[in-house]
């Protein structure tokens, strides 16, 4: 066995214990966040729903990465490690944060009357996520397209690309994504509290009534 094989053998037994607490926390957070997002959607409180939806979007990504990374790092079969690594790459690359954030988040933060420091922290975490995704596009676009997304029709090119994948480089990129995602998710309790203040509730209720009135006028 090579030193790398020995390290993988050891870590395959150590990492599951290290990750057990994090896995349980992620599962619990996902369940609760999905419940709160559903409640907010049912109440038609748009600003709260936008914020909760972004956090849920990121937490799903975190859970996907967490489910794959132990095998990506430690599985004894190189092809299996490569496949897990490529799925992680596809997961990070495909999470376009602007589809759920952007102008929607700015408007939501205004509606809930978020303090300036909270706005800055939320926007900075999302800017970091965008930088990570730009890095994924610039450094891994060919690898993503050739080996997991569209699959290169030249099978030999696809095969060689799969064999040459730098697993640690992809996993480091995923770690950068996770750090930025965690920065936003950590803000959620304060954002959630802010969305429950009287001015925020009044603003969201007013928006809901205006939207309902507009819908009725179209009938």
């Amino acid at each position: 066995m090579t030193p790398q094989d020995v390290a993988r053998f050891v870590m395959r037994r150590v990492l599951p214990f290290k990750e057990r607490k994090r896995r349980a926390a992620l599962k619990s957070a996902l369940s609760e966040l999905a419940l709160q997002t559903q409640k907010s959607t049912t109440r038609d409180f748009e600003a709260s729903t936008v914020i909760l939806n972004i956090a849920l979007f990121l937490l799903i990504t975190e859970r996907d990465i967490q489910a794959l990374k132990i095998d990506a790092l430690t599985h004894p079969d190189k092809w299996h490690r490569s496949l897990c690594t490529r799925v992680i790459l596809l997961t990070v690359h495909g999470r376009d944060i602007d589809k759920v954030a952007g102008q929607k988040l700015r408007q939501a933060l205004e509606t809930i009357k978020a303090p300036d420091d909270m706005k800055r922290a939320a926007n900075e975490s999302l800017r970091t996520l965008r930088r990570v995704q730009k890095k994924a596009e610039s450094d891994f676009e060919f690898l993503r397209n050739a080996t997991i997304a569209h699959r290169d029709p030249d099978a030999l090119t696809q095969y060689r690309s799969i064999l040459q994948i730098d697993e640690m480089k992809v996993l480091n990129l995923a770690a950068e994504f996770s750090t930025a995602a965690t920065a936003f998710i950590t803000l959620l309790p304060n954002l959630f509290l802010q969305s429950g203040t009287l001015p925020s509730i009044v603003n969201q209720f007013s928006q809901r009534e205006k939207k309902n009135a507009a819908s009725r006028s179209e009938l």
Side-chain angles (χ1 to χ4, degrees), residues 86-195:
R86 285 178 279 137
V87 174
I88 289 173
L89 174 58
L90 184 64
T91 300
V92 173
H93 194 290
R95 286 297 190 266
D96 186 351
I97 195 62
D98 285 326
K99 288 182 179 178
V100 295
Q103 185 59 39
K104 290 180 182 178
L105 176 63
R106 286 189 287 274
Q107 182 59 54
L109 293 173
E110 289 294 331
T111 298
I112 69 169
K113 304 295 184 183
D116 287 344
D117 59 339
M118 202 178 291
K119 290 179 185 176
R120 282 193 297 271
N123 288 323
E124 179 56 36
S125 65
L126 296 186
R127 274 195 293 270
T128 303
L129 281 170
R130 291 185 187 99
R131 285 197 293 270
V132 173
Q133 289 187 304
K134 289 291 183 185
K135 186 175 179 180
E137 291 171 5
S138 62
D139 293 357
F140 297 100
E141 186 75 15
F142 172 78
L143 182 64
R144 168 189 175 271
N145 289 339
T147 67
I148 194 66
H150 306 296
R151 300 275 186 170
D152 199 305
D154 183 340
L156 187 57
T157 296
Q158 184 182 159
Y159 177 71
R160 286 171 174 165
S161 299
I162 289 170
L163 292 183
Q164 292 169 5
I165 188 170
D166 187 334
E167 293 156 2
M168 288 309 303
K169 191 174 180 182
V170 174
L171 290 167
N172 286 337
L173 179 77
E176 290 181 46
F177 184 95
S178 294
T179 299
T182 300
F184 184 89
I185 293 166
T186 302
L187 292 171
L188 190 61
N190 288 335
L191 289 170
F192 194 61
L193 287 173
Q194 185 65 32
S195 70

Side-chain angles (χ1 to χ4, degrees), residues 206-219:
S206 176
Q207 285 185 347
R208 186 182 69 184
E209 291 306 298
K210 286 179 182 177
K211 186 168 69 174
N212 290 342
S215 297
R216 286 193 296 270
S217 68
E218 292 174 0
L219 296 177

Side-chain angles (χ1 to χ4, degrees), residues 8-82:
R8 277 193 292 270
F9 179 84
V10 173
M11 292 309 294
R12 191 156 183 81
R13 282 143 186 80
V14 172
L15 281 180
F17 290 100
K18 285 190 167 186
E19 288 291 313
R20 186 177 296 169
K21 186 179 290 186
R22 174 170 168 76
R23 184 184 304 116
L26 278 171
K27 288 172 68 176
S28 176
L30 262 175
S31 178
E32 180 61 27
L33 197 49
L35 177 63
Q36 294 302 328
T37 305
Q38 180 59 55
K39 286 182 178 178
S40 183
T41 302
T42 301
R43 292 168 183 158
D44 201 15
F45 276 15
E46 190 170 342
S48 297
T49 301
V50 166
I51 292 166
L52 289 164
N53 186 64
I54 295 169
L56 186 59
F57 183 86
L58 295 174
L59 206 58
I60 289 169
T61 310
E62 283 288 280
R63 183 70 178 99
D64 283 349
I65 293 171
Q66 193 272 338
L68 291 163
K69 72 177 182 181
I70 290 178
D71 274 357
L73 284 166
T74 69
H75 198 280
D77 181 68
K78 180 174 175 56
W79 194 274
H80 191 106
R81 292 198 305 273
S82 171

